[in-house]
Amino acid sequence: MIPFVDLKAQYRAIKPEVDAAIFSVLESCEFTLGSEVRAFEDEFAAYCQTAYGVGVNSGTSALHLALLAAGVGSGDEVITVPFTFIATVSAIAYAGAKPVFVDIDPRTFTMDVAAIEAAITPRTKAIVPVHLYGRPADMDPIVEIARRRGLVVIEDAAQAHGAEYRGRRAGSLGDMACFSFYPGKNLGAYGEGGIVVTDSPDFTRTVRMLRDWGSEKKYQHVLKGYNYRMEGIQGAVLRVKLRHLERWTDGRRVAAACYDDLLAGNGVVTPESTTLDRHVYHVYAVRTDRRQELQDALHAESIQTGVHYPIPVHLQPAFADLGYRTGCFPHAERAAHEVLSLPMFPELTAEQCAAVAGAVRRLARAA
Ligand SMILES: Cc1ncc(COP(=O)(O)O)c(C=O)c1O
């Protein structure tokens, strides 16, 4: 059996360090925020080439608070993409604003920068590009448009820990960036977690207050805040795992290169290669117009796959009130029909890659 992700293999490899980190929190009883979270915030911000980090309890909370800190509220519009996990869009709704979609570039699955200007209205406050699958969105034009039009840029970097755009780290490319530490992410907690990173002391102060009931001093509530604090155990585990992240990313990139080589010309479209940017392959998605057949064939050989994502957000019943219809965003809709995510994790071996590729090739030959 080849799993889609293998969290157990990763835990086995770092068990003594993780166990010691968890036990240290049991001893200190710093269960919520505390010194491990503070240290992790500094270490992860430095990793992202930013000045500040504010740890929270999920990537969704990170997005919600970044939007609030940017001043987004009722009556405002926020531009993002429909081909993303629903959390990107839900966070905009949490802030009381209206999500406005632009289509994706079908070659990269990230925001089509040529479509942004037409989506801007006097109500637009922010742009939320998504570094989908671990590939950075085309940030230079996005930031240029935002500066010219007075908009805030919030990166949804939930899938992009360690990704780089033109040599700069995801997280440092906009005004604020939000990461998720959901267990299956490239840097995953042992539970839920997220962070906002930024160079701005003002955004940092606001997000810090908002995550902890709007207070800087206990029982003095400056803002209407939330209970979005990061847990001490997650901070301690994430500090351990951050030390391994570069090695794990290299493992993902080696596995992706192996897939690229073995799959080229075999009935699927592999991710477009990029030498300018560093794709961290949270997801390795191929495209095929025979997705169900391919998924079934792989399943028959005990190879797990996933679909990220089968329904674009503009066609989800939950967001029917936005008034979009089939045909509004053809590239997102087509991607949703064609993408198939192959097994991808740092410990994926060359033999496992070859077995997956062999199954894909057999189906192509049988066509
Ligand atoms: C693109 C994207 N945005 C936001 C999130 C939300 O993160 P979380 O699950 O930690 O709330 C996720 C992950 O689940 C995601 O993939």
Side-chain angles (χ1 to χ4, degrees):
M1 206 273 277
I2 304 181
F4 183 62
V5 292
D6 194 349
L7 295 183
K8 288 181 184 164
Q10 190 184 72
Y11 175 57
R12 279 196 297 275
I14 56 169
K15 179 173 161 47
E17 291 170 83
V18 168
D19 291 0
I22 290 176
F23 278 111
S24 82
V25 177
L26 299 185
E27 291 292 344
S28 73
C29 291
E30 288 186 322
F31 293 118
T32 181
L33 299 178
S35 55
E36 291 290 328
V37 170
R38 256 193 316 279
F40 173 68
E41 289 172 338
D42 290 346
E43 290 162 10
F44 191 74
Y47 178 80
C48 293
Q49 303 173 342
T50 57
Y52 308 101
V54 186
V56 292
N57 62 350
S58 73
T60 309
S61 300
L63 285 163
H64 182 193
L65 298 191
L67 287 158
L68 293 179
V72 171
S74 160
D76 294 332
E77 294 178 359
V78 176
I79 294 174
T80 190
V81 283
F83 194 56
T84 182
F85 181 59
I86 192 114
T88 314
V89 184
S90 291
I92 296 168
Y94 291 178
K98 179 178 166 202
V100 172
F101 297 124
V102 298
D103 209 347
I104 53 165
D105 178 336
R107 291 166 308 146
T108 60
F109 301 113
T110 59
M111 184 175 277
D112 176 3
V113 296
I116 296 173
E117 298 253 22
I120 297 174
T121 76
R123 292 168 182 267
T124 309
K125 262 278 173 54
I127 307 177
V128 181
V130 180
H131 305 323
L132 199 76
Y133 301 159
R135 180 194 194 112
D138 190 6
M139 292 300 293
D140 280 347
I142 294 173
V143 170
E144 187 276 319
I145 293 167
R147 292 290 169 267
R148 195 157 33 79
R149 306 294 290 260
L151 309 175
V152 178
V153 177
I154 299 170
E155 297 168 68
D156 183 339
Q159 304 186 359
H161 318 72
E164 288 172 17
Y165 175 79
R166 312 301 194 254
R168 287 169 289 139
R169 278 276 158 87
S172 69
L173 306 169
D175 297 296
M176 282 178 273
C178 303
F179 290 84
S180 163
F181 303 121
Y182 183 76
K185 292 290 195 275
N186 289 24
L187 180 61
Y190 283 0
E192 305 273 354
I195 199 168
V196 179
V197 296
T198 180
D199 279 333
S200 154
D202 290 340
F203 288 146
T204 301
R205 180 165 175 252
T206 307
V207 174
R208 251 182 225 292
M209 283 198 276
L210 287 172
R211 76 165 167 189
D212 193 13
W213 294 118
S215 62
E216 268 176 335
K217 288 204 181 99
K218 207 165 177 148
Y219 303 130
Q220 292 183 30
H221 305 281
V222 181
L223 302 169
K224 293 192 181 74
Y226 300 82
N227 175 0
Y228 281 176
R229 297 177 295 250
M230 179 179 270
E231 292 189 344
I233 285 178
Q234 305 313 336
V237 169
L238 288 164
R239 288 188 75 196
V240 168
K241 292 183 73 173
L242 181 56
R243 296 200 283 269
H244 298 278
L245 182 57
E246 282 301 288
R247 186 167 49 79
W248 289 334
T249 299
D250 289 342
R252 287 175 183 275
R253 287 171 54 80
V254 167
C258 181
Y259 279 145
D260 286 349
D261 280 352
L262 297 176
L263 292 176
N266 281 289
V268 294
V269 179
T270 53
E272 202 195 49
S273 63
T274 163
T275 46
L276 288 177
D277 302 330
R278 186 192 195 207
H279 191 325
V280 294
Y281 295 101
H282 174 57
V283 165
Y284 186 96
V286 294
R287 297 184 76 134
T288 166
D289 52 12
R290 299 165 68 199
R291 179 173 67 201
Q292 192 58 56
E293 264 178 280
L294 181 58
Q295 190 164 32
D296 292 346
L298 293 173
H299 180 73
E301 299 201 27
S302 300
I303 297 166
Q304 291 182 347
T305 58
V307 175
H308 303 92
Y309 297 91
I311 306 173
V313 181
H314 69 286
L315 300 180
Q316 293 283 1
F319 284 103
D321 58 334
L322 294 177
Y324 294 111
R325 282 180 312 280
T326 302
C328 283
F329 304 106
H331 294 306
E333 290 164 26
R334 186 153 172 223
H337 275 112
E338 293 187 351
V339 290
L340 185 69
S341 311
L342 302 183
M344 175 49 76
F345 48 90
E347 300 79 9
L348 195 74
T349 63
E351 291 72 33
Q352 287 174 315
C353 267
V356 175
V360 175
R361 281 165 27 183
R362 274 190 290 286
L363 182 73
R365 275 202 300 273

